[in-house]
Amino acid sequence: MEKMIIWIVLLVFFFLMSRISTWKKKAAAAFLVVGQRATTKEERKWGYRNAFRAGESKAERFYVYSALEDFMDEKPMIPFKMKLSSGKKIPAIFIDYYIPKRDWNFITEEQRKFVQMVYDFKDGRVSCSRLFKEALAKLELPDHVTVVFMPCSNQSKYLTRFSRLNNALSYEEKLNPMLYSLTYLEARESKHNIKDRDKVNADSNVIISADIVGKKVVIIDDVITTGSSIKEHAEELGKYGVEVIGIACLAKTVKYPEKAEIWLESRFHFK
């Protein structure tokens, strides 16, 4: 009799576990649909987060990209500090996240439009001056500041990328953009074309102009990834008596989180 009771209990247990697993899969699929059909950012994040928690592996990247600010240390349009090797901390800001094209299937149309704008800015088709003005205002800079631009691999690319923005900012009373603060000696290999990008010195093919020696400047760049290049340039400017008091970038490259971090964040929401 006791053995029969044990078998009955086990059968009921496995039956319930099977039903729970079935309903969990159905719930995960339903949450995924909620995320895909959501009309607001919060609703989208809620749907994908719960789908991922319910075991839907397809929801992982959708969840991460719907909740980027929960995973990234720095947030869009919120100043943070960049620490140089000297120990000096410079206030920095970026407008939004840069997401590689390989992950465009997992992001919203709004996110795709912003990343496309980054490409257009790189190619000199747009100035993004309004966005940069808003970002610079949040840095709370002095009344008059000189704006300089991050060196590129060659002068042609540099002028293409920053000429429109330089012209737009020149109409601002408190800003003094100086496109020709660098003299190009030769072309160098583009950092985007090599794997170990941090080994390429951003200033290896340029000379700092005497016109900005002793000035307080803000560095503008298109995309910040590790931050090593812009820190390197800030330190190089310091050698010429140029004081970097701010850094503004159009975008910051997303660093995709580890599996464990995604799992923990989905359940405990640390940030």
Side-chain angles (χ1 to χ4, degrees):
M1 186 68 179
E2 290 180 358
K3 288 184 177 179
M4 185 177 292
I5 293 173
I6 292 172
W7 278 109
I8 292 172
V9 170
L10 288 173
L11 286 172
V12 171
F13 173 77
F14 286 116
F15 173 77
L16 290 174
M17 290 300 293
S18 175
R19 297 305 298 167
I20 290 171
S21 177
T22 299
W23 283 107
K24 190 176 181 181
K25 288 179 180 178
K26 289 183 177 180
F31 282 129
L32 185 62
V33 171
V34 170
Q36 291 175 321
R37 295 184 177 181
T39 56
T40 67
K41 182 178 179 179
E42 287 304 314
E43 187 180 39
R44 186 179 303 109
K45 184 170 78 169
W46 183 86
Y48 288 139
R49 178 172 178 260
N50 282 290
F52 177 72
R53 290 182 64 181
E56 178 54 80
S57 59
K58 294 177 183 178
E60 180 191 300
R61 285 188 177 267
F62 288 109
Y63 165 51
V64 169
Y65 286 117
S66 69
L68 276 177
E69 293 184 29
D70 294 339
F71 291 99
M72 303 299 121
D73 292 328
E74 292 86 22
K75 320 299 181 188
M77 295 300 281
I78 297 178
F80 62 98
K81 298 291 185 180
M82 290 190 68
K83 187 177 180 179
L84 306 185
S85 60
S86 63
K88 179 182 178 181
K89 295 181 179 179
I90 301 174
I93 195 169
F94 65 94
I95 292 152
D96 211 336
Y97 296 112
Y98 169 79
I99 301 165
K101 276 192 172 181
R102 63 177 177 271
D103 283 341
W104 275 24
N105 289 336
F106 305 99
I107 64 179
T108 65
E109 183 63 24
E110 184 180 358
Q111 288 172 313
R112 280 192 289 269
K113 285 180 178 178
F114 177 77
V115 178
Q116 184 57 56
M117 184 173 65
V118 174
Y119 289 125
D120 290 340
F121 177 78
K122 283 175 171 287
D123 293 336
R125 290 192 287 270
V126 295
S127 70
C128 297
S129 59
R130 179 183 60 81
L131 295 174
F132 274 110
K133 289 174 187 177
E134 290 177 7
L136 291 171
K138 286 182 176 291
L139 287 180
E140 298 182 352
L141 301 167
D143 286 343
H144 294 282
V145 64
T146 299
V147 177
V148 298
F149 304 94
M150 189 67 189
C152 297
S153 56
N154 60 67
Q155 186 176 31
S156 175
K157 187 176 291 186
Y158 174 81
L159 294 176
T160 297
R161 184 168 300 171
F162 296 118
S163 289
R164 279 179 178 267
L165 179 58
N166 180 81
N167 293 339
L169 295 182
S170 65
Y171 292 100
E172 294 295 309
E173 290 184 8
K174 296 182 179 181
L175 300 177
N176 180 32
M178 293 190 66
L179 185 64
Y180 294 97
S181 61
L182 302 172
T183 299
Y184 278 79
L185 303 175
E186 58 186 0
R188 63 164 168 78
E189 189 173 7
S190 174
K191 286 199 166 195
H192 300 290
N193 297 330
I194 57 176
K195 291 183 179 179
D196 199 350
R197 53 184 291 136
D198 289 343
K199 288 187 176 180
V200 177
N201 189 318
D203 298 281
S204 60
N205 62 330
V206 298
I207 292 178
I208 309 300
S209 170
D211 294 335
I212 63 169
V213 171
K215 294 185 181 295
K216 296 180 185 293
V217 306
V218 174
I219 302 174
I220 282 183
D221 199 5
D222 52 357
V223 179
I224 180 173
T225 302
T226 65
S228 61
S229 293
I230 205 159
K231 291 177 186 177
E232 188 179 82
H233 186 53
E235 290 170 343
E236 182 70 14
L237 288 170
K239 295 176 183 177
Y240 290 82
V242 180
E243 183 183 357
V244 179
I245 59 173
I247 294 169
C249 298
L250 184 58
K252 179 174 175 57
T253 302
V254 167
K255 182 182 179 183
Y256 197 81
E258 299 291 335
K259 297 283 186 182
E261 184 182 353
I262 299 171
W263 189 89
L264 288 169
E265 182 63 31
S266 70
R267 282 154 178 79
F268 302 107
H269 191 62
F270 289 118
K271 296 177 183 178

